[in-house]
Amino acid sequence: MALSLAACASPFSPPPADPASPVAAAANAAAKASKRADRPSFMDIPAIPTDVRTPVQFKKAVGDEKVAAAKLMRDTAPGTWTLSNTEVYAAKARAAAKAPALDIPTDADRAATEAFAKAARERATAPPSKPQ
């Protein structure tokens, strides 16, 4: 009976590597190193954190969020606000922007624009027809 138990592989030791494998030597070295590795102790378990909410605090926070959500839904529901007195706002915006007057272009403006475009067309050159 003892002989049959000795043949069983231990669940705590790594299985042997296939000798035909190209990484067999590295796998066996890693297995040997794992046998000598330090194992954690109960002293390595971190202390219980003290800055975690209690279940009662979580419940209160969830309730506060639900109250805030309901208030937001009430405040933004359709029909709860309307736009009024927009002319005063628009006048203030126009005064702050100081938009230039919208003048209709004169014949002199049109002639200057056409002269600029003609000069630009004369300076322009077509790209070469064949790649260089």
Side-chain angles (χ1 to χ4, degrees), residues 53-105:
R53 295 179 191 172
T54 65
V56 173
Q57 290 171 327
F58 269 110
K59 183 177 180 179
K60 182 183 179 315
V62 169
D64 292 345
E65 290 297 321
K66 286 183 177 181
V67 168
K71 182 182 181 311
L72 179 65
M73 293 298 288
R74 280 190 314 272
D75 291 348
T76 59
T80 56
W81 56 276
T82 59
L83 293 177
S84 60
N85 201 13
T86 56
E87 281 305 315
V88 174
Y89 173 78
K92 286 181 185 177
R94 282 188 211 103
K98 297 180 185 170
L102 298 176
D103 294 333
I104 298 174

Side-chain angles (χ1 to χ4, degrees), residues 14-34 36:
D18 180 13
S21 170
V23 295
N28 288 332
K32 276 186 183 177
S34 72
R36 292 188 304 270

